[in-house]
Amino acid sequence: YHLIDGLKMTNLGILWIGTAKQRSRICYPITVEYIVYDELENKTNKLEWRDNTLNPKELLEDIMAKTVELTYSYEFPDGLFRKKIRYYNENLIRELLVNSLAHKSNTISNDISIKVYPDHICISNPGGLPLGVTKDNILHTKHRRNPNMIEILCALGVMEGEGSGYDLIYELDAIEAKHQPEIESTFNTVTVYQSAEITDKEVVRLMDYVDHNYKLSQKNKIAFGIIAREKRIAATDLSKILQLTAEERLRPYIGNLDKNHLITRSGVKKGSYFQINPMLLRNAKSNIVTSLKTIEPHILKALIKEDLHMHPMSKISEITSRIPDVDIKDIRKMVYAMVGKEIEKEGSRTNSRYYLK
């Protein structure tokens, strides 16, 4: 595992089996800073790991044990019982921290930083994303910055393997109806933002029902969770969230969902839309909030006509603001189809205004 070179320890060996004094002699050893903020961004708690007494695995376990604010949870009724969901899943936090340890740049003097806010956390590690990896392809692009460190972490069972981290993070967020993490990268730092918000508690119950009654792969769970959270989503938007470049690559994510009739599909190819099968919602006795996103085309047309009756000479953006749940792309498509039939327009391009014929 490259811990020794002849009769001497390597820097990697000092990190794992050296003493605190030996670790402190390394130019840029692993150091961690943990800060908690309240609603006004005042610091309410601060912890530091800068004494070099722990090896990376011990450091990870100590952080997980002492960061109490990361263990807070929501509680809501679930039949006769109460269900708890942590603000941040334990495995998600562990995975983000392991990524920071594994991909830390050893040529930059900075701490791994964990900042906790009332509604989100951000975890930063020294060093930008490796060459070829961006925030828009990190789910599928693999790159080893510190291969020897990763090899040890895998051997100790701390991480599953190269490239599996963000798949797990996306799966956990999908199961708990949370938004996927946002990533910012500069030359010196990579920062991951994770929201604590559960977008819809009924989606969590639906995910439980599906998990107990259907055999789904990790990719299926990720796609199903996103569709359930968004109520209705275009194939192009789903591909963008999943960082896919072609419709064909959606098949591993939605093929099994389609086969088991968990979702319904309308449109063709790039114009396709996915939503949860109403029969599944009925069988699961789910009370997912009704949304105009799933509205039928003829009802959307009637809504647009009623809106223009009340507000003639409106732009598409103005119509959208008054029908907020419906995607602007759906409204734009319907308005264009109605021009010359039910409605007329004045102006061109962004200045077009519409009124009833």
Side-chain angles (χ1 to χ4, degrees), residues 85 89 91-92 95 139 160 163-181 194 203-204 207-208 210-211 214-227 229 241-242 253:
I85 293 183
N89 189 290
N91 292 327
L92 182 144
E95 199 63 43
L139 191 60
E160 290 184 12
S164 63
Y166 274 90
D167 291 328
L168 176 61
I169 291 169
Y170 269 54
E171 179 188 3
L172 294 172
D173 280 336
I175 289 172
E176 296 182 349
K178 296 177 180 176
H179 289 286
Q180 281 68 43
Q194 175 62 58
V203 171
V204 177
M207 292 296 296
D208 279 344
V210 169
D211 194 38
Y214 298 89
K215 291 183 178 180
L216 300 180
S217 68
Q218 185 181 61
K219 289 182 177 180
N220 296 153
K221 291 178 183 178
I222 293 171
F224 184 81
I226 294 170
I227 295 170
R229 185 189 72 208
I241 294 174
L242 296 174
Y253 286 89

Side-chain angles (χ1 to χ4, degrees), residues 232-238 247 250 254 264-275 329-330 333:
R232 183 172 185 262
I233 188 169
T236 50
D237 293 334
L238 182 59
E247 186 198 1
L250 265 179
I254 64 168
T264 60
R265 180 173 184 163
S266 59
V268 293
K269 296 186 177 180
K270 290 185 178 180
S272 298
Y273 282 85
F274 303 105
Q275 65 186 68
K329 290 187 289 187
D330 293 335
K333 181 179 178 181

Side-chain angles (χ1 to χ4, degrees), residues 277-293:
N277 190 333
M279 288 299 295
L280 174 65
L281 297 178
R282 189 180 307 166
N283 294 338
K285 297 180 180 178
S286 176
N287 291 317
I288 288 180
V289 177
T290 304
S291 169
L292 288 178
K293 285 185 178 182

